[in-house]
Amino acid sequence: MGKIDRIAKVGDVAEIMLDYVENKKTHQTSEVMRVPAAAYVDPDQYQREIDLIFKKVPLMLAFTAEMPEPGDYKAMDAVGMPVLIARDKKGTVRAFLNVCAHRGAPVAEAGRGNCSRFTCKYHAWTYGQDGKLLGVAEKSLFGDVDKQDRSLRELPCEERAGMIFVSLDPEATIDLDEYFQGYLHDFADLDLGSWAYMGSREIEGANWKIAFDGYLEGYHFGSLHPETIFPRTPSNRMHYEAFGPNLRIGFPHHAIAEKLREHPRDKWGEQENNGFDFVRILFPNVSAFIAPEITQIAQLFPGPTPDKNRTVLNYLRREPIKDDADREAVEGAMNFFRNVTYEEDYLIGMEIQKGLASGAHEDLVFGKNERGNQYFHEWVNWYLANDPDAPKPEL
């Protein structure tokens, strides 16, 4: 889909959302869906989710804006896997397991930096930006080493539309076109690759699906966010579009009619954040809210046990930091969004975790209006079935 077609499609969605607000409707499916409470507490399912979802699908692990220059790298933990992403001198991005081929120590400390080579702090073996073993400390005393056989273990990796995708399975292949079904054009049209990375915040919460469920619907805006989100965005007015297992969720503003009717109908597709917003969901664990002031893109990872998740809240914007006052304002904005996410969403998620663990109810129910949540759980179940020939969920 070209940019003109995409804008036209967004205009059609804006018209649908205008109808939702004016006529008190929302996107609905035909029936409610039940999800077993055990899905959020069972250690066996938790492990299968890691093995069959997080270690198989392409995960968005970094942004071009985080590591734009040759020699830049990012080292991180992803569901217990030590990952090193590096940009070589030609600008190509690669990903590796951050594990020295000598005795298994990391070759880069967690975080970001820039270097021409990576040196293991244990015995000082060195590796190039391409992962190849360059040097063995005191090789004459160590003995014969086949450098070609002792490279870092490479992971499938591809940079697209300002984001860097990695598969945690070294034997996997990545087909982003198939997986995202054209959705990445959204991010390419936003020119996300040229944006500036402002920083990140980390929070912890309940089971990753409990946390992610909150990003997938606006049914709770009035009750849970009466002073932060609800003044701008009404409760229970959502529109869902699917791109493979991924979603674009439309949230109209209270003032959508006033805002849209300031413009001719053929310009409605250009009014994102001016009458409506989108939350862009990358299955299984990314929620992106693109805003003109500052953008929050959340990465949710299963924690060390089924009842915990670790969420990295990333912040980007179109313009780099201008001065000290601008930096102070940006830090304040990041703290505000972090606090809202944690205090209004994640704290109740931890209460939900206790409730589900209590055995009070055998299942949860997602309404006809919560189609995004239903769709997400349908895809979780599809991956857990581990049957590629099974019919894929459709919105």
Side-chain angles (χ1 to χ4, degrees), residues 1 61 65 67 84 96 112 115 121 136 148 163 165 173 200 223 233 260 272 299 361 381 392:
M1 181 183 292
L61 293 187
M67 41 184 303
L84 173 62
F96 311 92
R112 303 173 190 85
C115 65
K121 66 180 180 181
V136 174
Q148 298 297 320
M163 297 173 288
F165 297 90
T173 58
S200 66
S223 52
T233 308
L260 289 184
E272 183 174 353
Q299 298 165 294
H361 304 287
N381 293 338
K392 294 179 178 179

Side-chain angles (χ1 to χ4, degrees), residues 17 232-233 249-253 272-273 275-279 289:
M17 290 191 289
R232 173 187 177 97
T233 308
I249 310 174
F251 292 103
H253 299 171
E272 183 174 353
N273 303 131
F276 61 91
D277 299 310
F278 286 123
V279 169
F289 175 50

Side-chain angles (χ1 to χ4, degrees), residues 92-155:
T92 301
V93 173
R94 292 183 173 86
F96 311 92
L97 290 173
N98 185 16
V99 180
C100 180
H102 172 215
R103 298 268 293 279
V107 302
E109 295 293 331
R112 303 173 190 85
N114 183 283
C115 65
S116 60
R117 60 184 58 191
F118 299 100
T119 302
C120 175
K121 66 180 180 181
Y122 197 8
H123 296 95
W125 283 30
T126 58
Y127 297 84
Q129 296 163 339
D130 58 3
K132 292 181 180 178
L133 178 61
L134 298 179
V136 174
E138 296 199 56
K139 184 178 182 299
S140 62
L141 299 179
F142 186 88
D144 292 336
V145 175
D146 182 353
K147 290 184 179 180
Q148 298 297 320
D149 189 48
R150 308 311 297 177
S151 297
L152 297 177
R153 189 69 183 276
E154 191 159 4
L155 297 171

Side-chain angles (χ1 to χ4, degrees), residues 126-238:
T126 58
Y127 297 84
Q129 296 163 339
D130 58 3
K132 292 181 180 178
L133 178 61
L134 298 179
V136 174
E138 296 199 56
K139 184 178 182 299
S140 62
L141 299 179
F142 186 88
D144 292 336
V145 175
D146 182 353
K147 290 184 179 180
Q148 298 297 320
D149 189 48
R150 308 311 297 177
S151 297
L152 297 177
R153 189 69 183 276
E154 191 159 4
L155 297 171
C157 176
E158 186 172 344
E159 184 173 22
R160 188 84 68 88
M163 297 173 288
I164 297 168
F165 297 90
V166 178
S167 171
L168 299 180
D169 179 1
E171 304 301 323
T173 58
I174 286 183
D175 187 342
L176 297 183
D177 293 324
E178 171 65 23
Y179 189 74
F180 287 105
Q181 296 289 302
Y183 195 16
L184 295 183
H185 292 304
D186 244 27
F187 296 88
D189 289 346
L190 291 164
D191 197 24
L192 189 66
S194 68
W195 289 24
Y197 190 76
M198 298 290 104
S200 66
R201 300 288 187 269
E202 287 198 20
I203 56 178
E204 294 182 351
N207 178 275
W208 72 279
K209 298 190 301 299
I210 288 177
F212 210 53
D213 277 334
Y215 292 91
L216 299 172
E217 47 87 2
Y219 187 32
H220 66 280
F221 286 172
S223 52
L224 195 62
H225 305 294
E227 297 179 358
T228 50
I229 297 177
F230 183 68
R232 173 187 177 97
T233 308
S235 275
N236 207 24
R237 305 289 180 266
M238 304 86 70

Side-chain angles (χ1 to χ4, degrees), residues 258-332:
E258 172 188 343
K259 295 293 185 180
L260 289 184
R261 287 173 177 148
E262 291 176 351
H263 305 276
R265 173 60 181 79
D266 62 359
K267 298 295 183 182
W268 286 10
E270 301 173 357
Q271 304 309 312
E272 183 174 353
N273 303 131
N274 184 42
F276 61 91
D277 299 310
F278 286 123
V279 169
R280 293 170 170 86
I281 300 295
L282 306 184
F283 185 88
N285 70 325
V286 171
S287 172
F289 175 50
I290 310 293
E293 303 84 8
I294 192 167
T295 284
Q296 176 175 286
I297 302 181
Q299 298 165 294
L300 286 79
F301 297 99
T305 54
D307 59 334
K308 292 181 173 61
N309 87 81
R310 179 177 67 91
T311 297
V312 182
L313 303 172
N314 300 277
Y315 297 94
L316 302 91
R317 72 176 193 185
R318 287 176 171 83
E319 305 83 18
I321 294 294
K322 301 171 186 175
D323 51 35
D324 290 344
D326 188 26
R327 165 54 69 185
E328 183 177 357
V330 166
E331 293 291 331

